Amino acid sequence: MYKVFAWISVVLLFYNFSLLPSRRILKRYKGAQKFLIFGSKLHRFTGILLLITGAIHGYLALGTITLHTGWLLWSGVLLLFIYYLLRKRLKRRWLILHRFTDFFVVAWFFVHFFFPWLF
């Protein structure tokens, strides 16, 4: 069952990450505005769902919470959510931090996927 939650998390992670390049590409097309608005609203919910499915996947796979490449990946996703919650206090910096951390999270996903027991 943990593999099901793993693949749900993978889909959610890459959907959320794909919004930035999609937005950059689709800004040039007039008909794409509805998709961009819908994608932004859906992004909040898919981010929360990613936190939940990632936590369930980790707990089902390991049976406990321990320092692991997956835990670091999940912590990065949690950090992205914290940036979102603090967006009013951080002002414009939150988006820069969010995007920078997003690239770190995607990179760490590949570490977790190929080398889950790195340490």
Side-chain angles (χ1 to χ4, degrees), residues 11-58:
V11 169
L12 290 170
L13 177 70
F14 282 96
Y15 166 76
N16 284 333
F17 181 75
S18 72
L19 289 176
L20 176 63
S22 298
R23 188 176 298 121
R24 301 262 168 135
I25 293 168
L26 293 175
K27 270 186 178 178
R28 299 178 182 150
Y29 301 102
K30 292 181 182 179
Q33 294 301 322
K34 289 180 184 178
F35 172 77
L36 293 175
I37 292 169
F38 178 72
S40 293
K41 289 182 180 182
L42 192 61
H43 179 69
R44 297 174 189 133
F45 299 110
T46 57
I48 293 169
L49 194 58
L50 175 58
L51 277 172
I52 294 167
T53 59
I56 293 170
H57 159 69

Side-chain angles (χ1 to χ4, degrees), residues 2-4 9 11 20 22 25-27 36 39 49 51 60 63 72 75 87 90 94-95 101 105 108 111 117-118:
Y2 75 93
K3 288 185 179 184
V4 172
S9 297
V11 169
L20 176 63
S22 298
I25 293 168
L26 293 175
K27 270 186 178 178
L36 293 175
L49 194 58
L51 277 172
L60 289 176
L72 291 173
S75 297
R87 70 189 181 281
L90 294 172
W94 89 270
L95 196 54
T101 307
V105 165
W108 198 253
V111 171
W117 296 105
L118 189 61

Side-chain angles (χ1 to χ4, degrees), residues 68-70 111-119:
H68 181 269
T69 58
V111 171
H112 175 60
F113 187 80
F114 292 110
F115 309 104
W117 296 105
L118 189 61
F119 54 85

